[in-house]
């Protein structure tokens, strides 16, 4: 199930990029994220926000949640969630395989829960701000990319995320979710 969720987060990162360049302004900043230049990859930005007792940090190539009980990162090139081991936060393009650790599904679910909860709340907020058609346009643009692997249609994402957060190991896989 976490692999399914990672595929969805991979798609979500494309959507977040669309929110940043939206003609009406940068919606990550409107949601409360602070933008700064990436310390790693040139020409990219880092978005940071306090969330759920920790910090959500977003780059184009990766994302992370850093809290008291959870340090988890999503690496876009691997389309996977990992425990983050170093004391400092991930910098895009500046990590090694020694910095990440895969764990059992139950342990990873607990670690990734705050990041997924942020994703759910952000998607509910973005729909209130821009309407459901915004994500439908993002999804249509995503499907046109040769490298894209479309996940759930936008109108199903928040429902599935809530279902996954509530049911964890008993959740229905996205491809079977109605």
């Amino acid at each position: 199930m976490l692999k399914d969720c990672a595929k969805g987060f991979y798609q979500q990162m494309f959507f977040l990029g669309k929110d940043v360049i939206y003609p009406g302004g940068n919606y990550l900043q409107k949601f409360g994220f602070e933008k700064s230049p990436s310390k790693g990859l040139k020409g990219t930005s880092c978005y940071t926000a306090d969330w759920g007792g920790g910090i959500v940090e977003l780059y184009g190539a990766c994302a992370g949640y850093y809290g008291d009980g959870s340090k988890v990162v999503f690496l876009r090139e691997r389309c996977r969630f990992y425990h983050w081991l170093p004391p400092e936060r991930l910098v895009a393009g500046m990590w090694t395989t020694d910095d990440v650790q895969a764990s059992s599904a139950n342990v990873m679910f607990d670690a990734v829960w705050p990041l997924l909860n942020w994703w759910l709340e952000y998607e509910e907020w973005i729909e209130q701000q821009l309407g459901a058609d915004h994500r439908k346009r993002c999804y249509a643009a995503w499907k046109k990319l040769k490298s894209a692997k479309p996940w759930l249609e936008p109108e199903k994402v928040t429902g599935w995320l809530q279902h996954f957060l509530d049911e964890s190991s008993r959740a229905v896989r996205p491809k079977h979710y109605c």
Side-chain angles (χ1 to χ4, degrees), residues 50-70:
D50 292 334
W51 181 260
I55 295 172
V56 173
E57 203 159 70
L58 305 168
Y59 293 89
C62 53
Y65 178 80
Y66 310 93
D68 289 337
S70 174

Side-chain angles (χ1 to χ4, degrees), residues 20-139:
V20 165
I21 61 169
Y22 190 75
N26 183 326
Y27 274 79
L28 279 179
Q29 287 182 301
K30 289 181 182 191
F31 191 71
F33 278 84
E34 290 184 26
K35 179 182 177 182
S36 61
S38 172
K39 295 175 185 170
L41 300 175
K42 298 280 188 209
T44 64
S45 298
C46 174
Y47 289 87
T48 306
D50 292 334
W51 181 260
I55 295 172
V56 173
E57 203 159 70
L58 305 168
Y59 293 89
C62 53
Y65 178 80
Y66 310 93
D68 289 337
S70 174
K71 290 193 321 185
V72 64
V73 295
F74 175 79
L75 303 177
R76 192 171 181 179
E77 71 180 26
R78 294 183 178 193
C79 190
R80 189 165 178 186
F81 295 104
Y82 293 95
H83 280 289
W84 181 247
L85 302 175
E88 66 280 347
R89 296 191 305 253
L90 169 69
V91 174
M94 301 186 73
W95 58 274
T96 70
T97 55
D98 292 336
D99 295 331
V100 296
Q101 176 184 351
S103 297
S104 71
N106 289 340
V107 171
M108 283 307 300
F109 176 78
D110 289 342
V112 79
W113 194 93
L115 183 62
L116 301 182
N117 195 43
W118 165 81
W119 176 15
L120 175 64
E121 190 162 319
Y122 178 79
E123 282 304 295
E124 291 170 343
W125 177 82
I126 203 77
E127 184 173 339
Q128 290 171 356
Q129 300 300 306
L130 301 174
D133 286 345
H134 171 65
R135 276 297 179 252
K136 289 177 184 176
R137 288 187 299 273
C138 292
Y139 189 72

